[in-house]
Amino acid sequence: MSGYIMAKQTDDISLVMGHTFTDHHTFHHYSEMNKERIYMDYNATTPLEPEVIQAITEALQDAWGNPSSNYIAGAKAKAMINQSRESVGSMVGGRAEDIIFTSGGTEANNLVLNTAVEHFRRNYRDSEQGEGHHNGSIACLPHIITSNVEHDSIKLVAEHLQKNGKADVTIVPVSRVTARVEVEDIIAAVRPNTCLISVMLANNETGVIMPLQEICQRVKSLNKQGERLRILLHTDAAQALGKIRVDACELGVDYLTVVGHKFYAPRIGALYVNGPGTKTPLYPMLFGGGQERNFRPGTENTPMIAGLGKAAELVTSNLSDYESHMQSIKLYLEERLKAVFKDKIRFNSHYPGSDILPNTCNVSILGPGLQGWRVLSNCERLLASVGAACHSVNGHRPSHILLSCGVPTQVAANALRLSVGRGTTKADVDAVVDDLRETVQLLEEAH
């Protein structure tokens, strides 16, 4: 799946990437303007795999019935949903019953933080009323620990809870050397009233993989001590799924967020919960018809769930191939950039001792007038971003993620986040590096 535009011409119309042109002059102008666009923003979103589109189409055609009904179209919908639940569970090393379908990662993350606060509230009240259980060391407000490089759907929820007096929040900064949140710093932040630790599995801008397994092991040891309230553990695995192996049981998390459009599935999500409502608390934010065992009511979005399930199957079957391909293409990209730009290049995704996602290359081309946004807006072929797509409202300010990781302001301002995909080729890389070389040359001459 190259980034090149594919056109299909008929006698009277042309179709390009979903655009229909009845005027051939308009079509050729469009083609000239958009020739050889190469997509390297797979951390922002991914296209759908053909098999995923097929699964969605079949669901739209054959499984249009309400999954709660008994007629054939409803029964087919129910069967598809059940199959997808199995597939998503397998992808993350869990069981079908551990999977709750949501509208996306943002909803899943909100569900976890609100559950942790509600669980603390209920248990704190019970412990206050029970004799001998409350020793005065547990503060009234639940305490949440997270890092300073999380997605906004964690960061802003935590801030909202704190602002409204519903929780205390500690934001642990990542190391400016490793760009990881360090285990000791997380443990040092723990209080008697800590109810949740939420740390992403991999960062969307630097590609740095966080030490989740070690954090979970240490916290589980703390949970065994005395009569303290259990600290719940959550990871947003949006950027890791489909790129590296993700096993929720091995990691030791209670909750894990799944985001479909990061691994060639549609824009839908899921939440892995280790024994929802039994081993691990889960309190609904929505109330309605009782779907998803009352944890997330609303008539199920069968076609999108079917697509998510198919994408999960592809990850389970092909992960090692995906990972090795992306790793080799990324290394080739970095070699070509070094060969062309030499000492003018700085990689913002290289940190001593830290593992990095196989597809992510965050790079700055040094020099005045070479800000990331300026370079990208002048590129003829490259489609990429300067950072997280959801932060584009921040205009041209350097990424706070890179600044938090110790990248100097001037370097961070020039950053480009290049993320390759399953179908990115060496020819794509060559074309992109040539495009960057020509663009930088033009900008330097203009400056």
Side-chain angles (χ1 to χ4, degrees), residues 176-197:
R176 295 172 77 85
V177 176
T178 64
R180 304 189 335 163
V181 61
E182 300 297 351
V183 180
E184 295 302 331
D185 293 340
I186 292 286
I187 299 305
V190 171
R191 303 177 190 169
N193 57 323
T194 302
C195 67
L196 176 72
I197 296 173

Side-chain angles (χ1 to χ4, degrees), residues 84-105:
S84 292
R85 206 182 299 280
E86 287 279 351
S87 301
V88 175
S90 296
M91 177 180 67
V92 299
R95 304 161 301 170
E97 56 263 37
D98 295 330
I99 301 301
I100 310 296
F101 292 116
T102 66
S103 61

